[in-house]
Amino acid sequence: MEQIHDSGKRCLSILSSDENEELYSKSNSLNFEAGELIIKKGTPVNNIYFLKSGIVELSLNEAPHRQILNLLFDGEFIGINCVFSTAQYRFSARALTNCSIELLDKETFTKLLKANSTLSMAFIQYISWVNEGFLNWQMKLKEKNSAGALAFLISEFQKNFDSNSFEIPLTRQEMARIIGFSKESVLKNLADFRKEGLIDSNGKSITIIDASRLEEIAKYG
Amino acid sequence: MEQIHDSGKRCLSILSSDENEELYSKSNSLNFEAGELIIKKGTPVNNIYFLKSGIVELSLNEAPHRQILNLLFDGEFIGINCVFSTAQYRFSARALTNCSIELLDKETFTKLLKANSTLSMAFIQYISWVNEGFLNWQMKLKEKNSAGALAFLISEFQKNFDSNSFEIPLTRQEMARIIGFSKESVLKNLADFRKEGLIDSNGKSITIIDASRLEEIAKYG
DNA sequence: TTACGCAGGTGTAAAATTACACCCTCTGAT
DNA sequence: ATCAGAGGGTGTAATTTTACACCTGCGTAA
């Protein structure tokens, strides 16, 4: 009951082998290349997208001033709030890196949810957890200035890479749209971070040099 | 399946009379006065708060620079994301007006969720819908300037009052914390709205004079 | 090869927002 | 009756952020 979710994977791991077979017999594996559109806003919700690997961006509009809602990493369901609350997806999902996705059949998954109360409870826990996390992420971004928000974004990426050197698969413009500041603010803050020896960056590659000072800026200011 | 929720009330209306009796035999009715703390951050999650009447504010911290997450109106569950994903509430809830709350027993509600798949599906739909709505609200606020965000907030209140004259149970400071701008920005924009004949305001009372122009500002700028 | 577009990058001016200082009024406590 | 505190309100200065202008390098399509 009080179990903490680490991702949507746990929901699928609950299924018995029979249930698993039923679900997967009607599902498809899809691969998307970096930059490809996975879900277009307005698409009817007939399937459930499970992100097996890669990074996905959710945005309210496709172009040109799209506001980026959220980033999803592997093990998550994509746009799960829309699946059971609206007939159409209310945002677009785009692959930031190459992505491997399992396209589950919504009807079959719904049938399993109704039949298996362990699954439905795990699923309730999962969507509660994922939304709580999203809410926290948004609030943390909201209370920061541009430098703090950028440092926070970089720190969040570091957590998913487990190394001080990694590639952020976002343009400066996209980073700006995630943190809610202008492209120039992102560039100027990155330049400041470099000058102050907090990071080294070259295009999309980034190396964190002084993680503790970066964390400090991410916390506020 | 594709049914659109109007609030959390629908979940409770699904229960059979036996189930209803079981749930309510272990629940308590509570009344809070305007300003009272309903849930303190860190409180263990043993109950489910259902808001029968009134307006509630959720915030990350109590004092002094608390960031206000969201407003809840009657018919909603309070802090429902925390109930099934964490052991403690991760924010505080405060009554903005006098509130009437039904305090449901979490164990009993969980038992009913497991036993009644119609309820569990309705509940999944409900939390999806409420989170989707919250996400939309946040995104709309995020893309606006201070005037647009304030106009948007006022318009949202109007929807819940169904009249052009109503009371907003928030101080200017609280309005500022909801829309993410300073107290002075709120005051200056209110003064501008008055000067331009969009609204009339006196303390917490507000009368909307030119609803269409206010909506226009709320949409952007 | 050229030329175009895209992304990174930077300086400066303009605009928006915040911070500060201070005013008034009301209300509740001493 | 008076005093303190909270909330509404406004002007001005400081700060932050955006907008604009422009430069660079790189890849790629003609």
Side-chain angles (χ1 to χ4, degrees), chain B residues 16-213:
Chain B
S16 72
S17 56
D18 278 1
E19 288 171 327
N20 211 50
E21 199 177 314
E22 185 178 358
L23 186 60
Y24 280 85
S25 74
K26 293 206 178 167
S27 83
N28 295 293
S29 281
L30 289 179
N31 291 304
F32 291 86
E33 293 196 9
E36 265 193 279
L37 196 64
I38 299 170
I39 302 173
K40 189 179 163 71
K41 184 178 178 176
T43 305
V45 180
N46 297 316
N47 294 288
I48 299 176
Y49 293 75
F50 179 73
L51 181 57
K52 290 190 286 188
S53 71
I55 306 176
V56 166
E57 148 210 303
L58 302 187
S59 59
L60 272 183
N61 303 294
E62 282 153 82
H65 273 32
R66 65 171 186 280
Q67 177 82 38
I68 296 178
L69 300 180
N70 203 8
L71 298 179
L72 297 175
F73 294 84
D74 58 281
E76 302 292 344
F77 290 97
I78 303 172
I80 197 64
N81 281 339
C82 288
V83 175
F84 295 104
S85 74
T86 63
Q88 288 95 32
Y89 283 104
R90 297 176 64 175
F91 50 79
S92 296
R94 197 168 63 85
L96 290 179
T97 62
N98 292 347
C99 287
S100 171
I101 283 170
E102 193 69 33
L103 205 62
L104 307 169
D105 180 55
K106 180 184 162 182
E107 293 307 312
T108 309
F109 190 75
T110 305
K111 191 182 138 198
L112 294 174
L113 272 180
K114 284 179 182 166
N116 182 338
S117 67
T118 309
L119 175 64
S120 64
M121 286 309 297
F123 189 68
I124 287 169
Q125 287 170 36
Y126 169 68
I127 51 182
S128 298
W129 171 82
V130 89
N131 279 299
E132 182 68 15
F134 174 72
L135 186 153
N136 241 286
W137 156 273
Q138 287 298 325
M139 287 304 121
K140 280 184 182 159
L141 274 182
K142 199 172 176 176
E143 68 190 12
K144 295 182 200 315
N145 59 22
S146 63
L150 181 61
F152 180 67
L153 180 67
I154 294 171
S155 301
E156 289 298 303
F157 264 97
Q158 187 187 22
K159 284 177 195 162
N160 281 282
F161 285 104
D162 222 35
S163 157
N164 278 339
S165 279
F166 49 90
E167 297 245 321
I168 295 187
L170 298 166
T171 65
R172 307 302 190 230
Q173 180 68 256
E174 287 169 332
M175 293 168 76
R177 283 179 184 140
I178 292 172
I179 66 177
F181 290 89
S182 70
K183 179 193 83 164
E184 291 90 339
S185 287
V186 168
L187 283 158
K188 280 160 198 176
N189 281 303
L190 278 178
D192 287 347
F193 292 170
R194 277 194 301 267
K195 277 174 207 152
E196 292 170 28
L198 302 182
I199 64 166
D200 196 19
S201 79
N202 188 294
K204 300 213 189 321
S205 316
I206 199 162
T207 302
I208 294 179
I209 297 168
D210 191 337
S212 64
R213 260 169 76 212

Side-chain angles (χ1 to χ4, degrees), chain A residues 146 182 185 188:
Chain A
S146 63
S182 70
S185 287
K188 280 159 198 178

